[in-house]
Amino acid sequence: MNSGTADHTGGPAEGDTFDAGAGGLLRQPKAVWATAGASVVAFMGIGLVDPILPSIAKGLDATAGQVSLLFTSYFLITAIAMLVTGFVSSRIGGRRTLLLGLALVVVFAGLSGTSGSVGELVGFRAGWGLGNALFVSTALAVIVGAAAGGSAAAILLYESALGLGMACGPLLGALLGDASWRYPFFGTAVLMAIGFLCITAFLKEQPKPARKTGLLDPIKALGHGGLASAAASAFFYNYTFFTVLAFTPFVLNMSPYKSGAVFFAWGLLLAVFSVLVAPRLQARFGSLKVLGGSLVLLAADVLVLGYGSHTTAVVCTILSGAFIGVNNTVYTELALGVSDAPRPVASAGYNFVRWFAAAAAPYFAPKIEEWTDIHIPFVVAAVTAVLGALVVLVRRKSLTHEAEELETRHATEDSVAVFAN
């Protein structure tokens, strides 16, 4: 996209100085950096509670299953809200949608820190999920529309924000949560308020799209075989992902500092493999082979995690970040490019499906443990990862066209060359 050209997704505003021709990941307009920075904090909110889940359970006299509902309520509302985000942003504009989402997160993150019961905290996390859905889905469209270097560079920037947020969230949760489980929620509210100010200052108002998005447009977009296949595979994958994220802290049963360190290392691997390793693997082997192989390796990893010693469980938890990082990048690119639907609509439909699994895993994993034993939730997670790989294999013809395009793109675009140096 040429500098000085703005579109409804939040293109560069006049006065931004950057070299659009360079295509380097670091050469971006201020609006993109402001949005990416706020995205880091938004993704921090996902893993923020990981190190303090046992502390929350103790502080609110709740069971592991009750506390896991913090993820379930958050992602259930996030999934449903995906049908609303495009509807809202196409009517009030991308900038106002981002600010509305940030404002909701500030309010409900702050309220979460005042909770007197696990029921209140679960409810406030649901409101937090609504705000996060409005922000995150719109942020991806803004970054893709405004970033220099094309969609591949934009997706890598978005995945960088995701990885950094996932890494820093548990660390912040541990540092603040060591004093009180309430402090991480207050800290998130403050950081998101700063993000609100940055968006206000650097992201200019953009023209609204000529065509408004309907509430059912994301569902209609799933009528495309390729997008439906990507969403179905991601659904199974996300169950595995969030079994690791939401259930493993109870299995490790470590102090907030130690648990935060484990998930910080996990998040660092996620970031490195999503931004540096995944593009190289795609360029060499093709997207579908990389995705299928990574899902199978993730299945093996969580199976060993569930049956290994405590030290083995720690190592496998950290190692899972590598496979999750690769998967996140490939899935995002497939979802945005496999169909002819507008990117925000395709993203909303894809996320609508996959976030239901993110809501299901934190609820069912503790239940499965109660019904069986501590190992079986990881067996189920391994099976769902394999099912995700099987969907890729069976539906490869629907995804092959996009995979070939991605292979060519990654072999030629400047974004890959930056990381190859």
Side-chain angles (χ1 to χ4, degrees):
M1 182 175 293
N2 297 330
S3 65
T5 301
D7 67 9
H8 70 276
T9 60
E14 291 184 6
D16 280 337
T17 57
F18 70 105
D19 182 6
L25 191 66
L26 300 179
R27 296 175 178 266
Q28 302 296 341
K30 290 178 290 185
V32 170
W33 284 119
T35 306
S39 297
V40 171
V41 182
F43 287 119
M44 285 172 61
I46 295 177
L48 178 83
V49 298
D50 257 33
I52 57 172
L53 286 175
S55 299
I56 293 173
K58 182 178 179 180
L60 295 179
D61 194 24
T63 65
Q66 289 174 321
V67 172
S68 70
L69 292 176
L70 294 177
F71 287 99
T72 298
S73 64
Y74 181 91
F75 287 114
L76 183 62
I77 296 301
T78 296
I80 296 172
M82 286 298 163
L83 300 179
V84 180
T85 55
F87 179 87
V88 173
S89 64
S90 65
R91 284 161 175 79
I92 68 174
R95 180 176 181 271
R96 291 180 181 177
T97 304
L98 289 176
L99 293 175
L100 174 61
L102 286 169
L104 288 172
V105 172
V106 170
V107 171
F108 284 104
L111 288 173
S112 294
T114 67
S115 300
S117 68
V118 69
E120 285 185 8
L121 183 54
V122 168
F124 291 143
R125 279 282 285 183
W128 186 343
L130 173 60
N132 214 51
L134 288 169
F135 175 81
V136 169
S137 62
T138 309
L140 177 57
V142 167
I143 291 174
V144 169
S151 62
I155 290 171
L156 287 177
L157 184 62
Y158 181 79
E159 292 297 334
S160 299
L162 188 155
L164 186 59
M166 285 290 197
C168 294
L171 192 62
L172 178 66
L175 292 174
L176 297 179
D178 188 59
S180 169
W181 65 264
R182 300 180 186 274
Y183 291 168
F185 297 109
F186 295 139
T188 300
V190 171
L191 289 174
M192 288 305 258
I194 295 173
F196 184 97
L197 295 176
C198 290
I199 296 293
T200 302
F202 297 118
L203 183 62
K204 306 303 180 183
E205 192 61 72
Q206 304 298 324
K208 298 175 185 177
R211 180 183 176 277
K212 294 179 180 178
T213 301
L215 287 174
L216 296 181
D217 282 359
I219 299 295
K220 294 176 182 177
L222 291 170
H224 185 280
L227 183 60
S229 300
S233 179
F235 175 87
F236 291 116
Y237 156 65
N238 261 36
Y239 186 95
T240 308
F241 179 178
F242 284 93
T243 297
V244 173
L245 189 64
F247 183 64
T248 302
F250 291 106
V251 176
L252 298 180
N253 193 26
M254 303 167 80
S255 68
Y257 274 125
K258 291 182 179 179
S259 182
V262 168
F263 279 95
F264 176 69
W266 169 86
L268 284 181
L269 270 187
L270 189 155
V272 169
F273 274 75
S274 64
V275 178
L276 301 180
V277 178
R280 290 174 174 173
L281 292 177
Q282 286 174 277
R284 182 169 181 179
F285 300 106
S287 296
L288 298 189
K289 290 181 180 179
V290 170
L291 183 59
S294 181
L295 287 168
V296 171
L297 289 173
L298 177 61
D301 180 80
V302 297
L303 200 58
V304 175
L305 193 164
Y307 281 93
S309 65
H310 186 270
T311 300
T312 301
V314 170
V315 172
C316 288
T317 299
I318 295 172
L319 183 60
S320 70
F323 307 123
I324 289 170
V326 170
N327 294 337
N328 285 349
T329 294
V330 180
Y331 273 122
T332 300
E333 293 187 354
L334 286 175
L336 291 182
V338 75
S339 73
D340 56 359
R343 285 193 178 106
V345 174
S347 176
Y350 160 77
N351 283 301
F352 171 72
V353 173
R354 76 181 182 112
W355 286 129
F356 275 111
Y363 175 79
F364 283 110
K367 291 292 184 183
I368 293 171
E369 181 196 10
E370 292 176 10
W371 300 332
T372 56
D373 59 51
I374 198 170
H375 307 297
I376 303 303
F378 295 100
V379 174
V380 174
V383 170
T384 55
V386 172
L387 287 174
L390 286 176
V391 171
V392 173
L393 176 64
V394 173
R395 299 290 296 170
R396 62 188 180 278
K397 289 185 179 180
S398 298
L399 299 168
T400 297
H401 175 68
E402 170 60 13
E404 290 174 348
E405 285 189 351
L406 289 174
E407 187 174 356
T408 301
R409 184 188 310 164
H410 283 288
T412 58
E413 286 201 345
D414 291 338
S415 58
V416 176
V418 170
F419 298 113
N421 290 333

